[in-house]
Amino acid sequence: MTTVGHRRPTVGRVRINAPIGIFDSGFGGLTVARAIVDLLPDEDIIYLGDTARTPYGPRPIAEVREFTLECLDWLVGQGVKALVIACNTASSAALRDARERYDIPVIEVILPAARKAATISRNGKVGVICTQGTANSRSYDDALVASRAKLFTQPCPRFVDFVEAGITSGVELLEVATDYLTPLKDEGVDTLILGCTHYPLLSGVVSLVMGEEVTLVSSSDESARAAYALLTRRNLVRTEPHVATRRFVTTGDPKAFEGLGRRLMGGFVSGIESLHLD
């Protein structure tokens, strides 16, 4: 485990062989990182999890914006060729600022998932489960404003606690999921957006409660597809075979990050570095 410093970003000419920077408030963005690696196996990645200040969901939007830009600054300072904000709450709070602040592509998780859900819904009733911060921002409402879909939003704040504790099954989780999801079932939604990158790790219990007739849309998978498409269109995909490197950096306890990361993601997570932000 390595300690790395914090420096301000410097952005020059974007290099095709530079890494992709992926940011999340904690562990959930690892689902995005894994999806990106699956689609772009030759790409280097740097993942930064701000676990010292997680969760972002209950925080004021201004504070989330401040923390997000501080972490994105660090990633840009590492020379990344693109940024992926792998957190719905952070995307809601800081996407516009990030796209004005940096001259490299910035990919988020909300619009790709919203577009997918609106496209595949059969009855036009789309649900989204998310953190309180994402719900308050109404980002999914804005993303679907031009579609025929009617959106039903359900904050599920305890889901993040379960994932960050490494709990993805069990009686208590099932009871909490049933309480959260029953209103969406009663509304008759046929498509459900997993509007937090932690939630794909709970897709088993969500699917169990909602039933097989409800299609789940992962914001993690859709943002990875969006990253693939954008980098391809901008000719920023590596063109030669390459043994990719994966750096995982946390602002919190690297041992705890590696332990939970391995438990949730298997051998995908290793060699955690520690970052102390000013």
Side-chain angles (χ1 to χ4, degrees):
M1 291 152 189
T2 307
T3 300
V4 292
H6 180 213
R7 54 179 176 167
R8 295 292 296 172
T10 56
V11 180
R13 182 179 178 184
V14 179
R15 296 179 294 111
I16 291 177
N17 293 341
I20 299 169
I22 304 170
F23 164 72
D24 182 38
S25 61
F27 300 93
L30 292 172
T31 60
V32 178
R34 182 58 182 265
I36 288 174
V37 167
D38 288 344
L39 292 177
L40 296 166
D42 293 325
E43 297 291 339
D44 298 334
I45 66 168
I46 305 175
Y47 179 95
L48 173 58
D50 190 14
T51 54
R53 299 181 291 199
T54 197
Y56 278 13
R59 293 183 181 275
I61 288 179
E63 189 173 43
V64 172
R65 182 182 299 114
E66 176 188 350
F67 291 170
T68 299
L69 293 175
E70 185 177 22
C71 290
L72 296 179
D73 280 353
W74 183 83
L75 282 168
V76 171
Q78 302 302 298
V80 299
K81 64 182 177 183
L83 289 167
V84 180
I85 306 178
C87 173
N88 284 259
T89 306
S91 293
S92 300
L95 176 63
R96 182 175 298 177
D97 299 88
R99 286 182 169 161
E100 292 176 354
R101 190 179 181 95
Y102 313 116
D103 59 358
I104 57 176
V106 180
I107 298 101
E108 47 93 24
V109 291
I110 292 171
L111 188 57
R115 284 175 172 167
K116 178 70 171 184
T119 299
I120 66 174
S121 176
R122 301 176 302 279
N123 66 7
K125 294 183 177 182
V126 173
V128 60
I129 54 176
C130 56
T131 66
Q132 190 63 57
T134 299
N136 292 345
S137 74
R138 298 183 63 84
S139 295
Y140 277 96
D141 300 80
D142 294 341
L144 289 170
V145 69
S147 78
R148 65 178 180 84
K150 182 176 181 181
L151 184 67
F152 300 88
T153 302
Q154 177 62 57
C156 303
R158 291 193 63 192
F159 276 179
V160 172
D161 297 335
F162 279 105
V163 171
E164 302 258 328
I167 300 170
T168 57
S169 62
V171 173
E172 184 182 4
L173 174 59
L174 179 59
E175 291 176 349
V176 170
T178 300
D179 287 342
Y180 282 150
L181 300 175
T182 295
L184 296 175
K185 286 190 68 176
D186 292 344
E187 293 291 354
V189 303
D190 73 347
T191 305
L192 180 63
I193 301 169
L194 305 180
C196 173
T197 54
H198 287 70
Y199 295 178
L201 295 165
L202 302 178
S203 58
V205 70
V206 172
S207 182
L208 177 63
V209 174
M210 293 302 296
E212 294 182 0
E213 66 277 8
V214 175
T215 302
L216 304 186
V217 174
S218 166
S219 58
S220 299
D221 289 344
E222 297 309 317
S223 65
R225 293 187 182 101
Y228 177 93
L230 182 57
L231 293 175
T232 299
R233 287 196 299 268
R234 297 201 181 184
N235 295 317
L236 288 175
V237 176
R238 295 183 72 111
T239 56
E240 78 287 348
H242 171 67
V243 179
T245 61
R246 303 169 189 164
R247 289 179 62 194
F248 296 96
V249 184
T250 177
T251 60
D253 182 348
K255 290 184 178 179
F257 188 101
E258 183 162 9
L260 182 55
R262 283 181 175 273
R263 180 173 176 181
L264 295 173
M265 306 294 291
F268 181 70
V269 179
S270 63
I272 312 303
E273 301 173 40
S274 177
L275 171 65
H276 297 286
L277 294 171
D278 295 333

